[in-house]
Amino acid sequence: MVVFALFIISKSGGLIYNREFHAGLQKLNSNDLLMLAGSFHGMHAITKSLCPNPPVPPPPSSTNAASLAPSPFTHRATGLEVLETSQFRMQCFQTLTGIKFLLFTEPQQPNIDTMMKKIYELYADFVMKNPFYTVEMPIRCEKFDRGLDGFVKLRG
Amino acid sequence: MSNNAPQGGGLRYPSNKKTIYDRNLNRSKNAELSRAAFAYLFIEMINLAQKHAKDVGDLEKRLNNQGYPIGQRLLDLLLTRSANPLASIRPTRILTLLQFIAQTLYRHLFGRPADALERSNEDPAQYLLFDNEPIVNTYISLPREMSNLNCAAFVAGIIEGVCDHAGFATEGVTAHSVGNQDEGGKDAKGQAMWPGKTVFLIKFKKEVLEREEILGRG
């Protein structure tokens, strides 16, 4: 279970967090990282419009209690979610607030969804509940780093 | 419960004319609060304190002032609610008071007692209350320019309110982080066991110590 890296992209497309968990990855300088984040943000938006299946409108009387909170993505096309190559797999998780979590792992990594949810939980706890964090700014929260360390090391 | 609009401020009365003073004191005895709800409220409290504070010390003082009235009210409330009628008297000795704070007050606020209680070696008027991981600090990561801030100053304010209101006037109660101290509390890797460990320094006034000595003798 190997996690290579994690990127967090803000609502406006700027890279606010990047972290590498695996030694021996090719080093990118900070400019390249920002370009990578910006390009992905744009590509994500483009792929949203390219979705071939027309969005399914919600049934008129959808008052089923089991159909959870209204997600804007059940009847709207979403952007790029998974990018898989022979060397790595990149998964993008977009939150309801427009934050994108990019997780780079090895190609045959099971349980990516649970990992994403756990990382989102760590983000909601140690970044959003931090009084000294301004939203959409680069993340410099020690407890978030430590939480991620503990979580990734535990899995790997 | 529909509220009538207040006529120029003051208490709002619900339609059955019951005020907060008519509610049973034990009604919220076992009520719990979600940690997230408190965390978000605490963020705003810290922002409010930060707006007018000039430096870290001032910020801690403002947080302390925010906690002070809570301590005053909690003292009476917890004594009234204590199950044992013999225990519902105001503590008259320093040690009883500190035990009350470390056990009853802490259990009411955080669900667990405080971790250690000591008397300072250098200053007999100073007592130390240790908390390995203050709950108010769980989600707070300090920026580098404020690394000597401890937001448990809010809890220090609560403790100060309790002490002052119980008749044990204090010079002040301050919160200090001792997480990275070089003590015997390190694990095999040399990392501090409790990085968020906080000590509350309670400094009593001279009159309190004199009184304590007289009571001790008699």
Side-chain angles (χ1 to χ4, degrees):
Chain A
M1 285 204 178
V2 183
V3 176
F4 292 142
L6 170 71
F7 290 81
I8 302 183
I9 302 179
S10 72
K11 201 164 45 175
S12 46
L15 181 70
I16 56 177
Y17 187 75
N18 75 298
R19 180 80 179 280
E20 275 148 36
F21 298 107
H22 201 248
L25 299 175
Q26 187 181 28
K27 280 271 167 278
L28 288 176
N29 63 11
S30 52
N31 208 23
D32 286 339
L33 289 169
L34 290 171
M35 282 205 300
L36 201 159
S39 319
F40 181 80
H41 181 83
M43 205 163 58
H44 187 95
I46 292 174
T47 51
K48 193 156 74 168
S49 323
L50 287 178
C51 181
N53 301 326
V56 178
S61 57
S62 57
T63 51
N64 184 4
S67 71
L68 305 178
S71 160
F73 303 130
T74 48
H75 35 270
R76 229 176 58 189
T78 64
L80 184 63
E81 274 183 13
V82 178
L83 194 151
E84 190 158 334
T85 72
S86 55
Q87 309 282 28
F88 69 91
R89 177 192 160 118
M90 180 191 82
Q91 179 127 352
C92 168
F93 173 66
Q94 180 167 28
T95 70
L96 290 169
T97 52
I99 310 276
K100 290 190 250 305
F101 290 84
L102 288 180
L103 195 61
F104 291 80
T105 62
E106 60 179 14
Q108 287 85 33
Q109 166 84 317
N111 293 338
I112 292 209
D113 283 334
T114 34
M115 286 184 75
M116 282 302 218
K117 284 206 159 46
K118 183 68 185 145
I119 293 177
Y120 187 30
E121 204 181 296
L122 286 172
Y123 171 81
D125 275 344
F126 297 116
V127 176
M128 297 314 279
K129 291 180 187 143
N130 188 11
F132 303 108
Y133 172 70
T134 335
V135 196
E136 307 271 308
M137 287 284 122
I139 295 174
R140 303 224 183 292
C141 304
E142 193 194 326
K143 291 202 170 158
F144 182 55
D145 294 330
R146 261 194 267 146
L148 276 182
D149 271 343
F151 175 63
V152 171
K153 302 281 170 60
L154 186 71
R155 296 301 214 88
Chain B
M1 190 163 71
S2 60
N3 294 336
N4 297 327
Q7 276 87 20
L11 280 179
R12 279 189 289 179
Y13 291 88
S15 48
N16 57 356
K17 299 289 184 219
K18 285 252 176 97
T19 67
I20 193 172
Y21 304 112
D22 297 318
R23 276 163 46 164
N24 186 357
L25 269 180
N26 288 340
R27 179 174 140 164
S28 56
K29 188 165 182 177
N30 296 321
E32 287 182 346
L33 174 69
S34 92
R35 206 176 289 206
F38 175 74
Y40 289 121
L41 179 65
F42 200 46
I43 291 180
E44 289 310 311
M45 286 166 64
I46 292 179
N47 284 337
L48 181 70
Q50 227 176 353
K51 233 192 293 184
H52 304 290
K54 295 172 229 63
D55 55 18
V56 172
D58 199 18
L59 174 57
E60 286 197 355
K61 188 91 186 56
R62 283 173 190 270
L63 285 174
N64 191 308
N65 290 339
Q66 286 179 357
Y68 193 84
I70 299 179
Q72 291 181 314
R73 290 165 174 77
L74 272 182
L75 175 67
D76 288 322
L77 183 66
L78 292 178
L79 289 177
T80 313
R81 277 186 187 166
S82 60
N84 178 6
L86 291 173
S88 59
I89 55 173
R90 185 170 62 80
T92 46
R93 306 298 302 276
I94 285 188
L95 210 53
T96 326
L97 171 73
L98 293 174
Q99 293 279 28
F100 172 79
I101 292 176
Q103 304 290 325
T104 318
L105 181 77
Y106 244 74
R107 253 190 255 268
H108 172 84
L109 287 173
F110 306 123
R112 58 174 174 80
D115 293 303
L117 184 56
E118 284 173 17
R119 186 176 192 173
S120 161
N121 293 327
E122 303 92 45
D123 185 357
Q126 222 173 49
Y127 286 79
L128 290 76
L129 185 73
F130 287 92
D131 190 347
N132 287 340
E133 225 181 332
I135 288 191
V136 301
N137 285 349
T138 18
Y139 302 118
I140 298 183
S141 310
L142 296 168
R144 237 166 289 130
E145 58 268 13
M146 287 199 223
S147 55
N148 56 335
L149 168 70
N150 191 333
C151 300
F154 175 65
V155 182
I158 298 180
I159 295 177
E160 192 170 339
V162 171
C163 288
D164 286 354
H165 212 56
F168 293 80
T170 55
E171 307 271 354
V173 181
T174 49
H176 302 268
S177 325
V178 293
N180 300 318
Q181 297 259 326
D182 199 338
E183 286 173 4
K186 290 212 178 161
D187 64 8
K189 270 194 248 134
Q191 303 249 353
M193 271 283 284
W194 302 102
K197 186 165 177 166
T198 302
V199 61
F200 295 102
L201 287 176
I202 309 171
K203 189 165 169 62
F204 291 107
K205 287 201 171 143
K206 241 180 341 113
E207 308 87 75
V208 173
L209 288 180
E210 286 168 7
R211 186 180 72 202
E212 183 75 9
E213 206 182 328
I214 296 173
L215 283 176
R217 263 187 268 135

